[in-house]
Amino acid sequence: MRFEVTRRDVMRFAGGAAIGAALSPMPWTLTDDLAIWTQNWRWIPRPSKGERSTATTACALCAAACPLEANCVGKSPIALRAAGGAQPLCSLGLTGHHLPWHPARITRPQRIERGAARPASVSIEAVVRETARAMAAARSGSGSVVVLDSRPDRSGSWAWQRLLASIEGAVVVATPGTEGSSLDALDALSSDATRLTTLDLAGARTILSFGAPVAEGWGRLSECCPGDVTLVQVEPMRSRSAELSDHWLPARPGTEGVLALGIANTLISASLVPSSVTESIADFAAYTDIVARFPLARVAAITGLAADDIALTARELAANGPTVVVAGEQPGGGPLRRSDRVAILGLNALLGSAGRIVDRAELLSPRAGEPLAPVARLESLPGRSVALLVIDASAGDVAFPWHVVDRKLASSALVVALSPYLAGTARHADFVVPTAPFLEAIHEIPSSRTEAAPALSISAPLLPAREGAIDPVAFVRMLASAGQIDLGGDWSSTESLARERVARIHAAAIGSVAQPSESASLPVASLASADELWDALAKGGRWTGDRAAANPERRVELAAGLGVDLTREVGAAQASDRTLKLVPRAARETTLTAVVSPVLSKLYRESQLRRSPGSATLSPRTAAALGLRNVRAARILTAGGSAHVSLSLDEGVMAGVVELTVAPDLIALGDAARADHRMAIDLLTPAADGSWSSIDAELVEG
Amino acid sequence: MNPRGPLTFALGLASALALGWVAYPRLQYRSVEQPIQFSHKIHTGESVGMTCAECHPLGDDGRFAGLPSIATCEPCHTETQGTTKNEKHFVEQYVTKGREVPWLVYARQPENVYFAHAPHIGLAHLPCERCHGPHGGSDQLRPYQENRLSSYSRDIWGPSATRLARAEWEGMKMTDCSACHEAHGVRESCLTCHK
Ligand code: SF4
C-alpha cells in the first residue's frame, strides 16, 4: 500500500502540532528564555565585579546639585542615594548612574547630514576645521557667532566667553527655558538696569508660584524656606507642584498675567498696600490706572477662576507674609510670556517685598581681568543672523522647541553641539562633539538665576571617562588654535579652570561650605588650602558666598514693562470653535536632560504611571464637543506642523485644553534615532518673545 | 469516516506534546556536575551539628559572605575525614593545594539583580529554607542545570516546567520575589533590586 502525503495531511499534522505545542510549556518558557537571551548580548554593558565602596559627590543633573552618596562595586556606582541628611534624590538623580550607558551615548564625533538616514562618524579634526572656518567667516562679517549655554556661569561658560571676546558681535546666550530665566523679567522692573536682580527667597512664609515646579526642585526653594510655608500654585494643569500645593489656582493658559493684575487690583482697592511700599514704586499712579482695568469680575471671566478665590488669595498673600511671587519655567513649557512675567513679578513690589528684589551677587570667574564676550538674551538677536551656533549641552540639556532658535539661524548656518548623547538639542546640529556625562568628568554646578547669593558645587567623576570623550574647555582651546586666537594662560581643561576658580574663592576667603554630613558650614577662611576647599566641594559640599549689599536706592517701575497684549484686550478670539489651547506637559526631571534611564523608560512606556511621549490628554467634555469621545489616535495640528498622538481622556484636564506630553521623547527613552524623528516639543510655535507655554492647536481624528 | 484525517491530526498533536513536555525541557538545560560531591546532611546532622550560618555567615557589615572559602573547611579537613573518594579528592586537590572549589551556585541571581541577604535574614527573619528549600539537609549535590539560552540556573525558573503546584521555595523569578513582598506588605521599586 502506498502512503502518499498530501497537502491536507501536512495541514492536519501542523494543526495538531500547533495545538499540542500550545498545550505544552515549550512556547511559554521559550519566550521567557529568548527575552532574557536578548538582554545578555555581548555588547550589553555588565555591572563590574569587585570590592564594595562608597563615594560622595554632587548630582550634576540640575542646578539643585543635591549631595549624593554612591554605592560602588569595583569602582562603578551601582546605586545613588541622598548623602547625609539631604533631601531624597529625584528619579533622575536616583538613576543617574545608568546614563553613561544610555543607547544614545556617543564616543566619536558625529556628522548629521540633513536627510541622511544615519549620522556618520567623523574625526574631531574635521569638526574643529569646519567650526573654525565658520568662525573665520563670521569674523569677516558673514553673521554672528552664538554659544547656547545650558548652564551659565560654569568655567566652561567662561572659556566660551573668552574665545568669543575676539569675535565682533559674538555672544553667549542661555539655552531657552533654562531654569531661572523667567526672572530676567525682574530687570524690567528695576530702576537700575545695570544690575542683575533676583528674588530673595529666604524666610518667605508664602510662595505664589506661577508655573514654577517648586515642589519638584526648581529654585532650591526647599532650602530657602524651611518650616511652615504655604504654597499657592497657579497652573492650568494638575502638575506635581499643583498637587502638592496648599491652593491650586487653575487659571486658563495664557491668562496668568491677567490674574496677577487682578490680584494687584484687589491689593490696591482693599488698601492692602502700605504707603511705604507705594513710595518705592516710581510709577505707582500709572500702574494703578492699568490695574484698575482689571476688576475681579473681568479677571474671573478671563481666567476661569472664581472671583472670590482670587480675592481670598490676594488677602492671604497680604496677611501671611513675607510673600514671594515667582514666575518659573513650566517643565517642557519654558517661561511664560514676558509681559505676564513682568505683571507677576511686579506683585513682589506690591506685597511689600521690594526688599526681596535684590541685586544678584556674581560668582567669581575662574580668571580675573580677561576680555569676555557679553551674555545676551536670545530674543534680542535679529532673525536669521547667526552664522555659527554652538550648543554647549555638555552640562545638561533643556527641552525647548527648536523653532525658538532656528528662526535666528542664517540659511547656511553651521550648528555644532557638545553633548555626551546623540539626543535632545544635539539632534539639531550638523556636528556633535562627544563629551563626558555626569559621573565621568568634573561638572560644575554654579548658582542659578533663582539664587541671590553666589554658590558652587563640584560633581567629581566616579567612573573613568570613556575613550573618545572630549573636554569642552579643550575643544575651546582647539578652536582657538585653529583660528589662531591667543587665549593666554595655560588652562586647557574644565578641571584646570575650575581649580583656578576654587583657588580664587579660597584666596578671597569668602563664604562657607555646607557639607552633606555636617550640620554646621565650614568657613572658607578656616581651610588651609585651595585643595582642601576643592576636596570639600568634590565630596558633595556646596560653597555659598555673600549676598550683594542691600540697595536702599532701588525704586521699581511696574507699569513700564507691561506688554501691550496685557494692558489692552486679553484673550484674542479663537481661530475656530475647534481650536484648543495646547499646553506642553512633562515632569521636571525629564526636561533637564537629553536622556533618561531605562528604568524611567519602563515607567513611561509600560506602566502607564506616567504619560508616555506623544500622548495627548483632554477632558471628556472637550472630546465630546469635538466628536473625539471614542477616538484613541488623533492628529494634532499647530502652526509648527502636525503629529500623530495617542489620545486619552482625563476629567482633570481643563475644558478647551489639550495637554501634550513633550518629554521625554523616544530617543531619550532609548529608541534608536531616526532621521525623520520629530520631537513633540517642536510642534510648539513660540511667540515673538520666545515663549511657548501655551499655543493654539486643533485635534482631528486619524 | 476515513480515520486518516484525525490520525494525522493526533499524530501532530502527540508529537508536539512529546516535544514540548519531554524533549524540550531536556534540551533546554545542560547539566554540569559539581566539581566534588558534598553532603550538607552530614555537616548539619547530629554528628557534626553545624548551622547554615557557620559556613555561610553574614559579615560584620551585614553582607552575606556567600560560599565558604577553603580556609573555612581547612580546620577539619587538613586530613581526610572518612574514606570516600570524594573526600580524598577534596583534601588532595583543594585543601592541601589551598585552591578554592569552583562551586556552581544553584541560587545565583543574574547579573542585573542585586539581592541582599541581610534584610531578608536580619529584618524579615526568613529562615534559609524559605528560599533554598531543604538544600541544607541534602546528602548529594544534584547537577547544576544551566539554561542554554539565558544561561540562568534552573533554580531561577524552578524545577517544574509549568510552575504549577510548586513548593514556595521552588523558583526565584522576579514574580516570586514580588509575590512574597506583596504577601508580607513590603514596598518595593525597580531600583530595590535592579541598580
Ligand atoms: S536631578 Fe536635580 S533635583 Fe534631581 S537629584 Fe539631581 S540635583 Fe537633585
Side-chain angles (χ1 to χ4, degrees), chain A residues 59-66 88-94 216-217 588 592:
Chain A
C59 174
L61 296 169
C62 90
C66 301
L89 305 182
C90 73
S91 57
L92 179 63
L94 208 61
E216 295 170 68
R588 174 179 177 264
L592 305 168

Side-chain angles (χ1 to χ4, degrees), chain A residues 245-319:
Chain A
S245 66
D246 298 281
H247 305 294
W248 171 38
L249 295 176
R252 284 194 188 116
T255 65
E256 293 85 353
V258 173
L259 176 60
L261 294 179
I263 292 173
N265 183 309
T266 308
L267 292 172
I268 294 171
S269 55
S271 304
L272 296 171
V273 184
S275 58
S276 59
V277 166
T278 56
E279 279 156 23
S280 71
I281 301 172
D283 54 356
F284 188 68
Y287 180 67
T288 309
D289 283 349
I290 293 173
V291 163
R293 284 184 241 155
F294 294 89
L296 275 184
R298 183 171 175 232
V299 172
I302 293 172
T303 58
L305 297 170
D308 287 350
D309 276 352
I310 303 171
L312 192 69
T313 303
R315 287 172 195 284
E316 278 181 4
L317 296 178

Side-chain angles (χ1 to χ4, degrees), chain A residues 54-107:
Chain A
T54 53
T56 319
T57 189
C59 174
L61 296 169
C62 90
C66 301
L68 62 82
E69 189 174 82
N71 267 356
C72 304
V73 171
K75 302 236 165 73
S76 292
I78 56 139
L80 305 182
R81 60 169 172 267
Q87 61 176 27
L89 305 182
C90 73
S91 57
L92 179 63
L94 208 61
T95 55
H97 57 299
H98 297 160
L99 301 184
W101 285 276
H102 193 277
R105 174 83 196 270
I106 47 169
T107 49

Side-chain angles (χ1 to χ4, degrees), chain A residues 622-633:
Chain A
T622 311
L626 296 172
L628 297 172
R629 200 133 194 162
N630 298 313
V631 172
R632 289 288 159 266

Side-chain angles (χ1 to χ4, degrees), chain A residues 4 9 33 49 78 98, chain B residues 4 28 111 147 173 195:
Chain A
E4 232 175 74
D9 290 329
D33 292 344
K49 293 192 174 6
I78 56 139
H98 297 160
Chain B
R4 181 167 159 166
Q28 198 182 7
E111 288 189 337
N147 189 300
K173 284 181 71 66
K195 303 298 183 186

Side-chain angles (χ1 to χ4, degrees), chain A residues 300-585:
Chain A
I302 293 172
T303 58
L305 297 170
D308 287 350
D309 276 352
I310 303 171
L312 192 69
T313 303
R315 287 172 195 284
E316 278 181 4
L317 296 178
N320 298 332
T323 295
V324 169
V325 185
V326 295
E329 302 72 32
Q330 294 164 327
L336 298 169
R337 286 181 309 174
R338 188 166 170 82
S339 49
D340 286 331
R341 284 182 276 147
V342 172
I344 292 163
L345 295 171
L347 284 176
N348 284 295
L350 217 57
L351 283 161
S353 321
R356 299 197 160 273
I357 301 178
V358 293
D359 289 341
R360 187 173 168 234
E362 281 185 47
L363 181 60
L364 278 180
S365 62
R367 306 183 125 228
E370 303 213 9
L372 298 178
V375 176
R377 270 204 288 268
L378 188 66
E379 310 93 82
S380 66
L381 305 179
R384 304 277 162 231
S385 64
V386 179
L388 170 63
L389 177 76
V390 179
I391 302 168
D392 186 350
S394 58
D397 214 334
V398 182
F400 68 90
W402 180 242
H403 196 64
V404 181
V405 168
D406 193 40
R407 60 191 178 178
K408 305 289 181 187
L409 297 179
S411 56
S412 57
L414 181 74
V415 181
V416 179
L418 281 80
S419 168
Y421 310 102
L422 198 54
T425 322
R427 293 277 310 145
H428 297 286
D430 300 297
F431 290 104
V432 185
V433 176
T435 56
F438 165 53
L439 296 177
E440 274 191 25
I442 293 275
H443 285 276
E444 282 175 293
I445 312 107
S447 39
S448 80
R449 187 74 166 79
T450 59
E451 288 165 272
L456 182 68
S457 297
I458 303 253
S459 176
L462 301 182
L463 281 167
R466 259 201 250 169
E467 206 179 318
I470 310 264
D471 184 291
V473 171
F475 183 67
V476 169
R477 276 284 182 186
M478 288 182 216
L479 290 182
S481 104
Q484 292 171 345
I485 299 170
D486 180 16
L487 295 179
D490 55 0
W491 48 273
S492 57
S493 67
T494 301
E495 179 164 355
S496 60
L497 271 184
R499 281 189 182 271
E500 284 197 44
R501 178 181 355 221
V502 168
R504 285 193 71 202
I505 293 173
H506 182 260
I510 31 177
S512 57
V513 183
Q515 290 177 295
S517 45
E518 310 288 333
S519 51
S521 293
L522 204 61
V524 172
S526 70
L527 295 169
S529 67
D531 284 346
E532 265 187 45
L533 176 56
W534 177 271
D535 288 345
L537 294 176
K539 290 196 174 118
R542 182 151 179 95
W543 170 81
T544 307
D546 301 333
R547 287 157 188 264
N551 182 356
E553 302 302 311
R554 182 191 309 287
R555 304 250 294 158
V556 292
E557 293 168 0
L558 298 185
L562 292 173
V564 189
D565 46 349
L566 264 181
T567 53
R568 273 208 230 123
E569 275 313 303
V570 183
Q574 285 191 178
S576 82
D577 53 5
R578 289 194 68 84
T579 307
L580 301 169
K581 276 284 172 218
L582 188 157
V583 287
R585 187 180 171 114

Side-chain angles (χ1 to χ4, degrees), chain A residues 3-6 9 12-13 15-17 19-21 23-26 28-30 32-34 36-37 39-40 46-47 49 52 73 78-79 94-95 97-98 599, chain B residues 4-6 8-17 19-21 24-25 28-29 61 63 111-112 114 147-152 157 161-162 173 190-191 194-195:
Chain A
F3 184 83
E4 232 175 74
V5 177
T6 64
D9 290 329
R12 284 197 187 108
F13 184 88
I19 292 174
L23 291 174
S24 80
M26 183 172 66
W28 323 113
T29 51
L30 192 60
D32 194 74
D33 292 344
L34 279 173
I36 297 168
W37 178 63
Q39 294 163 13
N40 286 304
R46 275 157 207 281
K49 293 192 174 6
R52 218 177 83 158
V73 171
I78 56 139
L94 208 61
T95 55
H97 57 299
H98 297 160
V599 176
Chain B
R4 181 167 159 166
T8 322
F9 179 85
L11 186 65
L13 184 80
S15 323
L17 286 173
L19 179 71
W21 284 97
Y24 180 73
Q28 198 182 7
Y29 292 95
D61 59 356
R63 275 195 291 151
E111 288 189 337
N112 61 346
Y114 285 81
N147 189 300
R148 288 182 203 270
L149 275 175
S150 66
S151 69
Y152 284 12
W157 179 276
T162 58
K173 284 181 71 66
C190 308
L191 290 179
H194 304 289
K195 303 298 183 186

